[in-house]
Amino acid sequence: MPLTNRFKPLPLSSMTTAPQLPKVQRLALPHDPALSLLTDLHHSACVVASHRDGLDQTLHLMLRAGVRMVFVAGADGELVGMVTAEDIQGERPVQRASAQLIPHHELTVFDVMIPVGHWDTVELSQVRTARLGDIAETMHEHGLRYLLVTQNKEGRTTLRGLFSARRLEMAMNTTIEHDLHSRSFAELEQVLAH
Protein backbone atom coordinates (compact mmCIF):
# COMPACT_ATOMS: atom_id res chain seq x y z
CA MET A 1 0.00 0.00 0.00
CA PRO A 2 1.53 3.38 -1.00
CA LEU A 3 2.21 5.94 1.72
CA THR A 4 -0.08 8.49 0.05
CA ASN A 5 -3.13 6.39 0.92
CA ARG A 6 -2.38 6.43 4.67
CA PHE A 7 -1.06 9.95 5.23
CA LYS A 8 -1.92 13.47 4.16
CA PRO A 9 0.39 16.45 3.64
CA LEU A 10 0.28 19.31 6.14
CA PRO A 11 -0.51 22.82 4.94
CA LEU A 12 2.53 25.05 4.39
CA SER A 13 2.81 28.80 4.79
CA SER A 14 5.33 31.34 3.53
CA MET A 15 7.50 33.47 5.78
CA THR A 16 6.95 37.22 5.47
CA THR A 17 9.54 38.15 8.09
CA ALA A 18 12.58 36.40 9.49
CA PRO A 19 11.70 34.20 12.49
CA GLN A 20 13.51 34.46 15.80
CA LEU A 21 15.44 31.52 17.18
CA PRO A 22 14.08 30.10 20.44
CA LYS A 23 15.87 31.03 23.64
CA VAL A 24 16.12 27.92 25.71
CA GLN A 25 16.32 28.94 29.34
CA ARG A 26 15.28 26.00 31.45
CA LEU A 27 14.97 26.65 35.16
CA ALA A 28 15.84 23.78 37.45
CA LEU A 29 16.16 22.95 41.13
CA PRO A 30 18.93 20.93 42.82
CA HIS A 31 16.43 18.15 43.64
CA ASP A 32 15.35 17.74 39.99
CA PRO A 33 16.46 14.52 38.28
CA ALA A 34 19.96 14.77 36.80
CA LEU A 35 18.72 13.39 33.47
CA SER A 36 16.67 16.58 32.99
CA LEU A 37 19.82 18.55 32.02
CA LEU A 38 21.90 15.77 30.48
CA THR A 39 22.93 16.51 26.91
CA ASP A 40 22.16 13.07 25.51
CA LEU A 41 24.45 12.39 22.56
CA HIS A 42 21.89 9.93 21.18
CA HIS A 43 19.64 12.92 20.51
CA SER A 44 22.07 15.86 20.18
CA ALA A 45 24.66 16.57 17.54
CA CYS A 46 28.22 15.92 18.61
CA VAL A 47 30.80 18.45 17.40
CA VAL A 48 34.15 16.87 16.54
CA ALA A 49 37.41 18.52 15.44
CA SER A 50 40.38 16.80 13.86
CA HIS A 51 43.53 16.47 15.95
CA ARG A 52 45.36 18.32 13.14
CA ASP A 53 43.07 21.39 13.17
CA GLY A 54 44.59 24.71 14.15
CA LEU A 55 43.47 26.54 17.27
CA ASP A 56 41.81 29.44 15.40
CA GLN A 57 40.06 26.98 13.09
CA THR A 58 38.70 25.08 16.09
CA LEU A 59 37.51 28.25 17.81
CA HIS A 60 35.69 29.18 14.59
CA LEU A 61 34.08 25.72 14.53
CA MET A 62 32.92 26.19 18.14
CA LEU A 63 31.50 29.61 17.35
CA ARG A 64 29.58 28.31 14.31
CA ALA A 65 28.22 25.35 16.29
CA GLY A 66 27.38 27.46 19.35
CA VAL A 67 29.42 25.30 21.71
CA ARG A 68 32.35 25.87 24.04
CA MET A 69 33.77 22.33 23.89
CA VAL A 70 34.44 19.89 21.07
CA PHE A 71 35.62 16.33 20.96
CA VAL A 72 38.84 15.58 19.08
CA ALA A 73 39.23 12.68 16.65
CA GLY A 74 42.51 11.13 15.60
CA ALA A 75 43.56 10.07 12.09
CA ASP A 76 41.48 6.87 12.38
CA GLY A 77 38.35 8.78 13.41
CA GLU A 78 38.35 7.51 17.00
CA LEU A 79 38.11 9.97 19.87
CA VAL A 80 41.50 10.96 21.26
CA GLY A 81 40.51 13.91 23.43
CA MET A 82 38.41 16.99 23.98
CA VAL A 83 39.20 20.68 24.01
CA THR A 84 37.37 23.67 25.42
CA ALA A 85 37.41 27.31 24.35
CA GLU A 86 39.14 28.01 27.67
CA ASP A 87 41.88 25.49 26.80
CA ILE A 88 42.49 27.24 23.49
CA GLN A 89 42.30 30.81 24.79
CA GLY A 90 44.03 30.22 28.13
CA GLU A 91 47.66 29.81 29.06
CA ARG A 92 48.01 26.21 27.84
CA PRO A 93 48.83 27.19 24.21
CA VAL A 94 51.46 29.69 25.39
CA GLN A 95 53.05 27.04 27.62
CA ARG A 96 53.02 24.42 24.82
CA ALA A 97 54.42 26.80 22.20
CA SER A 98 57.19 27.80 24.60
CA ALA A 99 57.96 24.20 25.63
CA GLN A 100 57.98 22.93 22.02
CA LEU A 101 59.79 26.02 20.67
CA ILE A 102 57.22 26.58 17.94
CA PRO A 103 55.15 29.62 17.00
CA HIS A 104 51.68 29.82 18.56
CA HIS A 105 49.97 29.73 15.14
CA GLU A 106 51.53 26.31 14.39
CA LEU A 107 49.90 24.64 17.40
CA THR A 108 47.16 22.12 16.70
CA VAL A 109 44.24 20.95 18.80
CA PHE A 110 46.29 17.86 19.65
CA ASP A 111 48.81 20.10 21.44
CA VAL A 112 46.27 21.56 23.89
CA MET A 113 43.49 18.95 24.16
CA ILE A 114 42.65 16.88 27.21
CA PRO A 115 43.47 13.29 26.17
CA VAL A 116 40.85 10.56 26.68
CA GLY A 117 43.02 9.01 29.39
CA HIS A 118 42.58 12.15 31.53
CA TRP A 119 38.80 12.40 31.25
CA ASP A 120 36.74 12.14 34.41
CA THR A 121 33.54 10.26 33.63
CA VAL A 122 30.49 8.90 35.40
CA GLU A 123 28.41 5.88 34.38
CA LEU A 124 24.87 6.44 33.11
CA SER A 125 23.54 3.97 35.69
CA GLN A 126 24.74 6.37 38.43
CA VAL A 127 23.17 9.38 36.70
CA ARG A 128 19.74 7.72 36.39
CA THR A 129 19.17 8.00 40.15
CA ALA A 130 21.13 11.22 40.76
CA ARG A 131 19.77 14.73 41.25
CA LEU A 132 21.10 17.93 39.68
CA GLY A 133 22.58 18.88 43.05
CA ASP A 134 24.63 15.67 42.99
CA ILE A 135 25.98 16.54 39.54
CA ALA A 136 26.79 20.12 40.59
CA GLU A 137 28.57 18.87 43.72
CA THR A 138 30.58 16.33 41.68
CA MET A 139 31.67 19.04 39.24
CA HIS A 140 32.51 21.39 42.12
CA GLU A 141 34.49 18.76 44.04
CA HIS A 142 36.59 17.77 41.01
CA GLY A 143 36.89 21.20 39.35
CA LEU A 144 35.06 20.12 36.19
CA ARG A 145 33.36 22.35 33.66
CA TYR A 146 32.14 19.27 31.76
CA LEU A 147 31.14 15.93 33.24
CA LEU A 148 31.13 13.17 30.65
CA VAL A 149 28.65 10.32 30.96
CA THR A 150 29.49 6.85 29.66
CA GLN A 151 27.36 3.77 29.17
CA ASN A 152 28.53 0.19 29.14
CA LYS A 153 26.74 -1.87 26.52
CA GLU A 154 27.69 -5.41 25.61
CA GLY A 155 31.16 -4.99 27.11
CA ARG A 156 31.91 -1.74 25.28
CA THR A 157 32.06 1.75 26.73
CA THR A 158 30.10 4.38 24.80
CA LEU A 159 30.12 8.12 25.36
CA ARG A 160 26.44 8.69 26.12
CA GLY A 161 26.24 12.35 27.12
CA LEU A 162 27.56 15.21 29.15
CA PHE A 163 26.74 17.86 31.70
CA SER A 164 27.95 21.42 31.22
CA ALA A 165 28.67 23.52 34.29
CA ARG A 166 27.54 26.60 32.39
CA ARG A 167 24.18 25.03 31.56
CA LEU A 168 23.71 23.91 35.19
CA GLU A 169 24.68 27.35 36.47
CA MET A 170 22.16 29.07 34.21
CA ALA A 171 19.34 26.62 34.97
CA MET A 172 19.88 26.56 38.75
CA ASN A 173 20.96 30.21 39.08
CA THR A 174 24.13 29.25 40.91
CA THR A 175 27.90 29.11 40.41
CA ILE A 176 29.93 25.92 40.23
CA GLU A 177 33.50 26.80 41.10
CA HIS A 178 36.42 24.51 41.68
CA ASP A 179 36.91 23.50 45.29
CA LEU A 180 40.32 25.02 45.93
CA HIS A 181 41.30 22.79 48.85
CA SER A 182 44.01 20.27 48.03
CA ARG A 183 42.97 16.68 48.45
CA SER A 184 46.55 15.55 49.00
CA PHE A 185 49.98 16.88 49.75
CA ALA A 186 51.11 15.77 46.29
CA GLU A 187 48.49 18.01 44.66
CA LEU A 188 49.54 20.95 46.81
CA GLU A 189 53.16 20.34 45.95
CA GLN A 190 52.32 20.23 42.23
CA VAL A 191 50.37 23.51 42.42
CA LEU A 192 53.25 25.24 44.23
CA ALA A 193 55.81 23.94 41.73
CA HIS A 194 54.13 25.80 38.83
Side-chain angles (χ1 to χ4, degrees):
M1 179 181 253
L3 282 177
T4 55
N5 292 340
R6 294 185 298 187
F7 302 100
K8 63 180 182 177
L10 300 175
L12 300 178
S13 60
S14 298
M15 296 296 301
T16 57
T17 60
Q20 292 186 356
L21 291 173
K23 293 186 186 280
V24 180
Q25 177 61 25
R26 184 183 185 307
L27 297 179
L29 298 171
H31 286 80
D32 288 347
L35 290 175
S36 65
L37 288 181
L38 173 72
T39 300
D40 189 336
L41 296 177
H42 280 181
H43 304 291
S44 298
C46 189
V47 183
V48 180
S50 166
H51 69 289
R52 293 188 202 121
D53 289 349
L55 302 185
D56 289 340
Q57 179 183 3
T58 304
L59 274 176
H60 185 68
L61 171 67
M62 289 178 183
L63 183 64
R64 279 194 337 247
V67 298
R68 299 201 42 84
M69 184 272 294
V70 295
F71 294 104
V72 181
D76 59 2
E78 290 206 16
L79 290 181
V80 294
M82 70 179 211
V83 67
T84 68
E86 290 80 16
D87 293 333
I88 293 172
Q89 296 174 315
E91 59 187 55
R92 188 177 295 173
V94 175
Q95 292 171 339
R96 294 292 160 90
S98 176
Q100 296 175 10
L101 302 174
I102 61 172
H104 183 275
H105 70 274
E106 289 183 15
L107 289 173
T108 65
V109 173
F110 187 80
D111 295 315
V112 298
M113 72 177 189
I114 302 163
V116 170
H118 293 151
W119 290 1
D120 291 309
T121 65
V122 64
E123 229 295 319
L124 182 63
S125 60
Q126 297 293 316
V127 173
R128 288 188 198 282
T129 58
R131 301 288 179 198
L132 289 175
D134 299 324
I135 300 301
E137 186 59 29
T138 301
M139 296 176 87
H140 168 77
E141 177 71 23
H142 296 283
L144 303 174
R145 295 304 293 166
Y146 296 92
L147 177 59
L148 303 176
V149 179
T150 57
Q151 182 177 24
N152 292 315
K153 274 186 166 178
E154 300 168 6
R156 295 193 65 192
T157 301
T158 303
L159 186 59
R160 178 58 190 268
L162 62 97
F163 290 99
S164 160
R166 186 166 187 238
R167 186 172 178 204
L168 284 167
E169 289 168 340
M170 290 174 62
M172 297 191 324
N173 196 25
T174 189
T175 302
I176 301 171
E177 294 179 2
H178 179 47
D179 190 353
L180 296 177
H181 77 277
S182 282
R183 290 183 292 277
S184 71
F185 182 72
E187 286 179 8
L188 179 60
E189 205 171 43
Q190 189 176 25
V191 168
L192 294 175
H194 296 311

